[in-house]
Amino acid sequence: MKFNRREWLWLASSFGAAQSLGGQSASGQLQPLFVEVPPSASGIAWVHENAMSPSRYLPEALGPGCAFLDFDNDGWMDIFLVNSGPSDFWKPSSPVRNALYKNNRDGTFTDVTEKAGITGGSFGMGVAVGDYDNDGWSDIFVTAYGKSILYKNNHDGTFTDVTEKAALAAPGWTTSAVWFDYDNDGRLDLFVCSFVDYSGVRKLECGNNQIGRNYYCVPRVFKPTASLLYHNNGDGTFTEVSKGTAIAKALGKGLGVVATDINNDDRMDLFVANDTVQNFLFVNRGPGSNGRWNWEEIALQANVGFSESGRPRSGMGVDAADLNGNGWQDLFVANVDHEMFSVYENNKDETFRDAAQGHGVARATRLLSGWGLKYFDYDNDGAVDLFLANGHPDDMIDNYSMQVKYKEPLLLFHQGEDRKLHDVSESAGPAFERYFAARGLAVGDFDNDGALDVLIAVNGGAPVLLKNNAAKGNNWLGLRLEGATCNRDAIGARILWKAGGKLRQRLKNSGGSYLSSHDPREILGLGRATVVDELEIHWPAPSKSADKLTNLPVNRYIRVIEGRATF
């Protein structure tokens, strides 16, 4: 691949030796925290087709998702991008396909979609990556308006559509999905968000907007639906097990989901963002006496279902992390403009308080609509930060609003020593001065430098790949956890590490963001510490064992296998 002068300058600035946080180059010039990698430099030429029409069918506005994954097990993150496709309201005039890009290990990617056999087939929405058969290879589940698809990894660079065999077609309109082991049997199960009932022939009876055109219907005009929980049978098949549970009874309009443990009982719970109806918090209560798994929906009493004024909002992106380092999982949900986003801090009693005002998040997001997002330590100082990708759902909003725009800026928040999130977007780099119709967002270290990069999926546009420069000067340790008795992806594992006199901890969650899937590895930010004094991995059930390692070197990835205190 050849680069012109501008692209060589970009490569020099991006991969050059910045010496301090956010930092400075050898010439003393300030470097941006994140640098946008142009398609001509990355080789990612794919563009999302949103099928936008004068009729304004709602599925046109909601996609797409994206993922970082290592599909060929070479230790480098590849990229998967979801596209739309044929549906009952759109028949493309030319083929439309998803995209799988193989990492060439030099900052560039090669399109291998056709060879891999994962081009798609319906109006795609989101993606969830996980090793459902515990064979050590990442499999791909694609949600859709229409039939969902499960792609099994064949270990040779190709995939097989096993949807029918696995009984995972999940028809209707599915959005975000998450792999997690809800019953601790060592196999990944699957939760799939279901959006509205869009099955009728009258799909656009919303009238005209202020400029006399059809507009995308607000989801409140459509009926809610029940999301789906599938149990992994261990033989390549799944059984839908939500019937008769709180999950089936809770009719919603699900867009985002994260699997986490809100009460530290070692069972993974689910936080679901709903559009125009209350959010759901499904707490995992374990096996019930009736033979069904016991789920309790507690969003109302937990204070995460509605706004502080008691109103349902347009929940889209979600995430969970131990924001303040106290060992309890906090939540986040992004909404549409004027509704405010929420930073839910855990009260340790299955309730939460919204601290968005105190963090400055509410003020910064008042006029924005949030989709993809992630809690992660972007500068490897050991504290959790926040990245938000935004864009209004109405592509004509610019014509009749003075304040709200269709394309919106990215936001970056850094956690300071006061444990508050501070908006640093203005100093984060040129990408934060641009505006996008952003939807999905995934984080992953595509160049293996220990700093999590960001991939943003854009509705009707090219994806945005941002290289992380912000972590230069801080040390790190990357973990590839591999379960033996527990699920192979080690989802639900608890990680404790001591370095530089500080003890930190993390729960390996699954899902989060919107329609997207993240690098499965865990990167531990160490700040200036030059050695990891102690590392403990507490593996999830059915194992419940722990491995302890000491005096680990820094700035490298290590593989830790359950039951082996070595790497």
Side-chain angles (χ1 to χ4, degrees):
M1 181 175 291
K2 296 182 179 180
F3 302 107
N4 60 35
R5 184 176 182 275
R6 178 178 62 83
E7 292 159 354
W8 276 117
L9 289 174
W10 173 85
L11 287 169
S13 66
S14 306
F15 292 94
Q19 298 299 319
S20 61
L21 180 62
Q24 290 191 351
S25 65
S27 63
Q29 185 178 9
L30 187 66
Q31 296 290 303
L33 302 182
F34 288 86
V35 174
E36 185 175 351
V37 185
S40 53
S42 68
I44 300 175
W46 179 92
V47 176
H48 177 248
E49 170 59 73
N50 61 2
M52 184 182 289
S53 66
S55 298
R56 294 301 194 274
Y57 293 104
L58 189 54
E60 300 168 4
L62 266 63
C66 58
F68 280 111
L69 74 162
D70 182 8
F71 80 91
D72 53 0
N73 277 352
D74 67 350
W76 293 76
M77 286 296 113
D78 310 299
I79 285 174
F80 183 76
L81 301 159
V82 181
N83 214 341
S84 57
S87 71
D88 58 0
F89 64 83
W90 185 59
K91 298 296 185 286
S93 57
S94 57
V96 176
R97 63 174 178 82
N98 303 322
L100 178 65
Y101 280 94
K102 175 178 170 53
N103 193 325
N104 297 325
R105 312 184 195 184
D106 60 0
T108 70
F109 295 82
T110 297
D111 188 338
V112 295
T113 316
E114 297 289 346
K115 176 184 176 182
I118 52 176
T119 55
S122 56
F123 204 97
M125 284 282 145
V127 54
V129 178
D131 181 7
Y132 78 88
D133 51 3
N134 285 337
D135 65 354
W137 296 76
S138 296
D139 308 297
I140 301 173
F141 182 74
V142 180
T143 63
Y145 170 68
K147 174 188 168 185
S148 299
I149 302 176
L150 176 64
Y151 291 110
K152 175 178 166 51
N153 195 321
N154 296 327
H155 313 173
D156 60 0
T158 70
F159 291 78
T160 298
D161 181 346
V162 296
T163 314
E164 297 300 331
K165 176 184 176 182
L168 276 182
W173 187 350
T174 54
T175 54
S176 294
V178 61
W179 295 102
F180 75 122
D181 183 7
Y182 76 83
D183 57 351
N184 289 333
D185 66 353
R187 298 187 293 267
L188 290 182
D189 310 300
L190 183 66
F191 179 88
V192 184
C193 287
S194 180
F195 195 45
V196 300
D197 182 354
Y198 204 66
S199 60
V201 295
R202 298 164 67 88
K203 299 180 186 297
L204 46 99
E205 298 297 321
C206 297
N208 299 330
N209 60 20
Q210 297 177 31
I211 58 175
R213 297 182 188 173
N214 288 326
Y215 61 91
Y216 291 117
C217 298
V218 176
R220 69 172 54 94
V221 306
F222 299 108
K223 293 180 180 179
T225 59
S227 292
L228 303 166
L229 178 65
Y230 291 94
H231 178 259
N232 189 332
N233 299 323
D235 59 0
T237 69
F238 291 79
T239 300
E240 205 261 284
V241 292
S242 43
K243 291 181 176 64
T245 71
I247 293 174
K249 296 173 184 176
L251 300 182
K253 302 175 183 182
L255 287 180
V257 61
V258 62
T260 188
D261 181 2
I262 65 146
N263 53 10
N264 286 345
D265 66 353
D266 295 327
R267 289 192 290 261
M268 298 296 277
D269 312 302
L270 296 163
F271 181 48
V272 179
N274 285 306
D275 197 344
T276 70
V277 297
Q278 75 155 82
N279 299 322
F280 296 143
L281 181 56
F282 296 112
V283 176
N284 187 340
R285 301 299 189 196
S289 58
N290 58 0
R292 294 193 182 98
W293 206 261
N294 193 1
W295 295 91
E296 184 180 4
E297 201 290 293
I298 67 164
L300 179 60
Q301 56 264 44
N303 303 317
V304 299
F306 297 92
S307 69
E308 289 187 320
S309 61
R311 296 180 179 179
R313 294 181 289 183
S314 300
M316 296 179 288
V318 296
D319 203 20
D322 181 4
L323 182 60
N324 50 23
N326 65 359
W328 294 77
Q329 292 293 299
D330 308 297
L331 305 175
F332 190 97
V333 62
N335 303 293
V336 81
D337 61 279
H338 291 89
E339 290 184 347
M340 311 299 185
F341 299 5
S342 288
V343 179
Y344 288 121
E345 295 186 350
N346 196 320
N347 293 326
K348 307 179 185 180
D349 59 0
E350 297 190 355
T351 70
F352 295 79
R353 61 188 177 278
D354 190 347
Q357 294 283 356
H359 284 283
V361 171
R363 177 181 56 82
T365 60
R366 187 175 70 87
L367 298 176
L368 301 179
S369 300
W371 302 84
L373 58 93
K374 197 75 181 80
Y375 275 136
F376 70 107
D377 179 11
Y378 73 78
D379 57 351
N380 283 342
D381 66 353
V384 175
D385 310 303
L386 174 67
F387 198 116
L388 301 175
N390 311 292
H392 200 275
D394 182 358
D395 65 304
M396 292 179 281
I397 190 70
D398 303 59
N399 295 304
Y400 45 86
S401 175
M402 296 296 292
Q403 294 180 308
V404 179
K405 303 300 180 185
Y406 174 57
K407 294 184 178 181
E408 298 178 345
L410 308 172
L411 290 181
L412 183 67
F413 293 85
H414 181 260
Q415 184 173 166
E417 293 184 1
D418 59 357
R419 293 198 168 180
K420 299 293 184 182
L421 294 171
H422 299 273
D423 186 354
V424 296
S425 309
E426 289 187 359
S427 58
F432 294 81
E433 299 172 3
R434 295 185 59 204
Y435 294 80
F436 306 94
R439 295 297 185 263
L441 178 150
V443 299
D445 181 11
F446 78 84
D447 51 3
N448 279 351
D449 66 352
L452 283 169
D453 309 299
V454 177
L455 177 66
I456 300 163
V458 176
N459 183 261
V464 179
L465 180 61
L466 299 177
K467 174 178 163 48
N468 185 340
N469 276 335
K472 296 184 186 301
N474 281 334
N475 295 317
W476 56 278
L477 178 65
L479 304 179
R480 179 186 170 190
L481 302 183
E482 187 175 308
T485 304
C486 71
N487 67 88
R488 189 70 171 258
D489 289 350
I491 293 167
R494 296 184 184 274
I495 306 165
L496 293 86
W497 72 100
K498 185 177 181 181
K502 295 182 178 180
L503 178 63
R504 301 186 186 275
Q505 56 188 309
R506 181 181 299 171
L507 175 67
K508 186 172 174 58
N509 292 324
S510 186
S513 189
Y514 171 73
L515 303 181
S516 300
S517 197
H518 312 285
D519 189 332
R521 302 171 297 183
E522 296 289 334
I523 297 177
L524 312 181
L526 308 176
R528 302 293 177 170
T530 57
V531 65
V532 177
D533 301 309
E534 295 180 5
L535 171 67
E536 287 188 19
I537 311 297
H538 293 259
W539 303 93
S543 173
K544 292 188 176 181
S545 63
D547 286 317
K548 183 175 181 179
L549 298 90
T550 59
N551 298 320
L552 296 173
V554 300
N555 299 335
R556 66 191 64 190
Y557 282 99
I558 64 172
R559 178 186 179 202
V560 183
I561 303 173
E562 177 193 341
R564 304 183 195 177
T566 184
F567 63 93

